[in-house]
């Protein structure tokens, strides 16, 4: 089960995060195509800054293990101290000049402004159960999630204006006298440890885990009519975000007026039937097969141990018992005087032990193949080659593509459920709440650093968000072979060579192959004085004809040289 889930998650991670930009944003309108491309750069910047890949990994891992994976996305403006060098001012009143000396100072700066993504524990996820979980962000009335955070972290959020009345939250009432309050998770029973950090443990009889005061934070968005709850005069349904600390106090109640008009979560149910609420994951489907495989192995090992125990049947009146009980090999077993001259097989005999589990290994392989057929994870997907003789590259590639087709469909479903929603939410949040201009540096096609300024108005537009095709990114080694063949073909054809820039193609192939710092090996060829004088006289012309740029090409016996009697 672990190997199967790890293989599927690896496939999903390479499919979604194996290329840059990670998010696909497109446009059907020609005037917003450039804005869509810049939006992809902004989303990639946010993904790199927040290490989004770790949360994507958790999303895929939860989806395969528990049958559901969830991410929350909220906007965050992060302020931190930064050390900078600043010019000291000149004191004109005293006519003192400091000569432009710089000093090192620390000041508060906005270090990040963008989407903040976080994985939600499936055991601490509370969606509206009246709609399928994959559609709860659009059709559900409410969505809540639970975390456990330290008091100091909550105080920082209070100073930033996100929470209120943190000091009034107090302690979370815990279990007493070993009585369960429902806070224990089934994960704790399975793993034998705590369900999550900071949570209560019934075995500790009401004592808080650790020495730092932690709070239970229940946060979520709800569709309400504010006038009915006395929050405002609006009588239209609105989405509000609420934060409850330790089941005692509402520390946050604010309108969640977002352009995407959804609950700020994306949910993936990769094995859903489409209609119900909550479906098994691949770990549940493989559970019976895993139990059978484990029983085959354990019973075979137990049978081998029984055979190695050397059970003996002996006559205590004929054999010295102490000799039989001595451990270690090469023992000597003495017969008593009454057994002298008799057949020793009548005194000591080993009980025969039949290996009834000899065929369990073959049965084990059969059930593993059944599990592979159930999960669509074969040896080719795992990177293992089947035995049975040599195979051609075409056979290996074809079998791998056939095995990956079901995983590709699996990937498309996850992309349609969670991937496109996440991209749309991050994109619309950026259009709505990005306040400060910032710079992104991208590498141009010529390999030079090109500063590209992106302002909030540069990423505005009506975009669409395509579903991922489910295929793995192109293999760099395979692409290198293709480009090598193209380079050799262009180099061997004079007509093609005139239409392509061979040095740039060579640089691209070197970069594709992993070669770095190639510019440091290039020669800067300068024409000597004699060649420069011939070029001034018109006896030599650049490659490509007169007026073309490039290296100097010495024409053999040009007309001017022959008229002057030159070589």
């Amino acid at each position: 089960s672990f190997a199967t889930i790890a293989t599927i998650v690896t496939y999903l991670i390479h499919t979604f995060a194996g290329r840059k930009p990670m998010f696909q944003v497109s446009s059907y309108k020609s005037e917003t195509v450039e804005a869509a491309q810049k939006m992809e750069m902004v989303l990639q910047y946010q993904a790199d800054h927040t290490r989004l890949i770790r949360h994507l990994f958790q999303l895929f891992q939860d989806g395969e293990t528990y049958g559901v994976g969830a991410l929350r996305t909220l906007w965050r403006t992060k302020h931190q101290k930064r050390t900078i060098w600043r010019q000291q001012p000149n004191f004109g009143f005293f006519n003192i000049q400091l000569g432009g000396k710089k000093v090192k100072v620390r000041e508060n700066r906005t270090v990040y402004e963008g989407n903040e993504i976080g994985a939600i524990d499936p055991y601490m996820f509370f969606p509206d159960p009246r709609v399928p979980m994959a559609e709860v962000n659009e059709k559900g009335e409410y969505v809540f999630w639970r975390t456990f955070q330290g008091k100091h972290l909550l105080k920082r959020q209070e100073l930033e204006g996100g929470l209120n009345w943190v000091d009034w939250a107090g302690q979370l009432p815990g279990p007493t006298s070993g009585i369960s309050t429902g806070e224990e998770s089934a994960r704790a029973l399975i793993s034998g440890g705590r369900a999550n950090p900071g949570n209560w443990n019934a075995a500790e009889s009401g004592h808080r885990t650790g020495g730092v005061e932690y709070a239970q934070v229940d946060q979520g968005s709800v569709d309400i009519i504010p006038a009915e709850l006395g929050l405002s005069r609006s009588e239209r349904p609105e989405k509000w975000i609420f934060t409850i600390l330790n089941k005692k106090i509402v520390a946050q109640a604010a309108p969640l007026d977002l352009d995407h008009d959804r609950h700020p979560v994306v949910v993936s149910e990769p094995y859903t039937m489409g209609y119900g609420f909550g479906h098994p994951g691949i770990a549940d489907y493989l559970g019976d097969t895993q139990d059978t495989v484990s029983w085959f192995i354990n019973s075979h090992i137990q049978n081998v141990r029984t055979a190695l125990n050397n059970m003996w049947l002996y006559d205590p009146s004929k054999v010295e018992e102490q000799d039989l009980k001595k451990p270690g090999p090469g023992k000597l077993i003495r017969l008593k005087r009454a057994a002298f001259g008799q057949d020793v097989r009548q005194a000591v005999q080993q009980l025969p032990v039949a290996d009834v589990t000899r065929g369990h290994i073959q049965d084990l392989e059969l059930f593993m193949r059944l599990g592979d057929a159930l999960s669509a994870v074969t040896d080719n997907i795992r990177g293992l080659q089947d035995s049975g003789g040599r195979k051609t590259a075409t056979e290996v590639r074809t079998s791998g593509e056939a095995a990956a087709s079901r995983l590709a469909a699996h990937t498309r479903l996850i992309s349609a459920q969670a991937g496109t929603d996440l991209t749309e939410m991050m994109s619309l949040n950026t259009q709505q709440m990005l306040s400060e201009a910032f710079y992104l540096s991208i590498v141009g096609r010529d390999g030079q650093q090109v500063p590209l300024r992106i302002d909030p108005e540069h990423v505005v537009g009506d975009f669409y968000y395509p579903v991922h095709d489910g295929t793995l990114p192109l293999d760099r080694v395979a692409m290198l072979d293709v480009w090598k063949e193209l380079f050799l073909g262009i180099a061997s054809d004079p007509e093609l060579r005139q239409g392509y820039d061979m040095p740039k193609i060579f640089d691209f192939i070197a970069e594709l192959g992993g070669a770095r710092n190639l510019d440091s090996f290039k020669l800067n060829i300068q024409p000597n004085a004699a060649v420069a004088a011939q070029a001034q006289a018109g006896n030599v012309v650049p490659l490509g004809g007169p007026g073309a740029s490039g290296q100097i090409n010495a024409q053999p016996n040009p007309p001017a040289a022959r008229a002057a009697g030159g070589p």
Side-chain angles (χ1 to χ4, degrees), residues 3 7 368 378-387 391 396 399:
T7 302
M368 289 185 66
T378 62
D379 287 341
N380 290 324
I381 298 297
R382 295 190 184 99
L384 304 176
Q385 293 297 329
D386 295 333
S387 59
K391 294 180 176 60
V396 175
S399 60

Side-chain angles (χ1 to χ4, degrees), residues 2-16 53 56-65 271 282 377 407 410 414:
F2 175 79
T4 299
I5 292 175
T7 302
I8 297 176
V9 172
T10 301
Y11 183 93
L12 295 174
I13 281 291
H14 280 294
T15 302
F16 282 99
I53 188 172
L56 288 178
F57 182 90
Q58 197 64 56
L59 172 73
F60 303 146
Q61 184 89 4
D62 291 341
E64 304 301 319
T65 305
Y271 298 95
I282 192 61
V377 177
L407 291 181
H410 189 68
I414 295 176

Side-chain angles (χ1 to χ4, degrees), residues 319-381:
V319 178
E320 293 290 347
E321 295 185 24
Q322 298 301 326
D323 294 343
L324 285 174
K325 295 180 179 179
K326 288 182 180 179
K331 63 178 64 176
L332 298 176
I333 303 176
R334 294 172 297 171
L335 296 177
K336 293 184 178 180
R337 289 182 177 274
F340 285 177
Q342 298 182 14
D343 189 359
V344 295
R345 290 176 296 181
Q346 297 179 2
V348 179
Q349 185 177 1
Q350 184 177 10
L351 287 178
V353 179
D355 187 3
V356 296
T357 63
R358 187 181 301 274
H360 281 197
I361 301 302
Q362 289 78 10
D363 297 338
L364 168 69
E365 296 177 355
L366 172 62
F367 275 86
M368 289 185 66
R369 287 198 299 269
L370 291 176
D372 292 346
L374 180 65
S375 62
V377 177
T378 62
D379 287 341
N380 290 324
I381 298 297

Side-chain angles (χ1 to χ4, degrees), residues 60-61 104 159 237 246 298 303 350 368 376 418 434 464 470 479 510:
F60 303 146
Q61 184 89 4
K104 188 165 60 174
L159 293 176
N246 286 341
N298 293 333
N303 189 268
Q350 184 177 10
M368 289 185 66
L434 186 64
Y464 79 94
M479 289 297 299

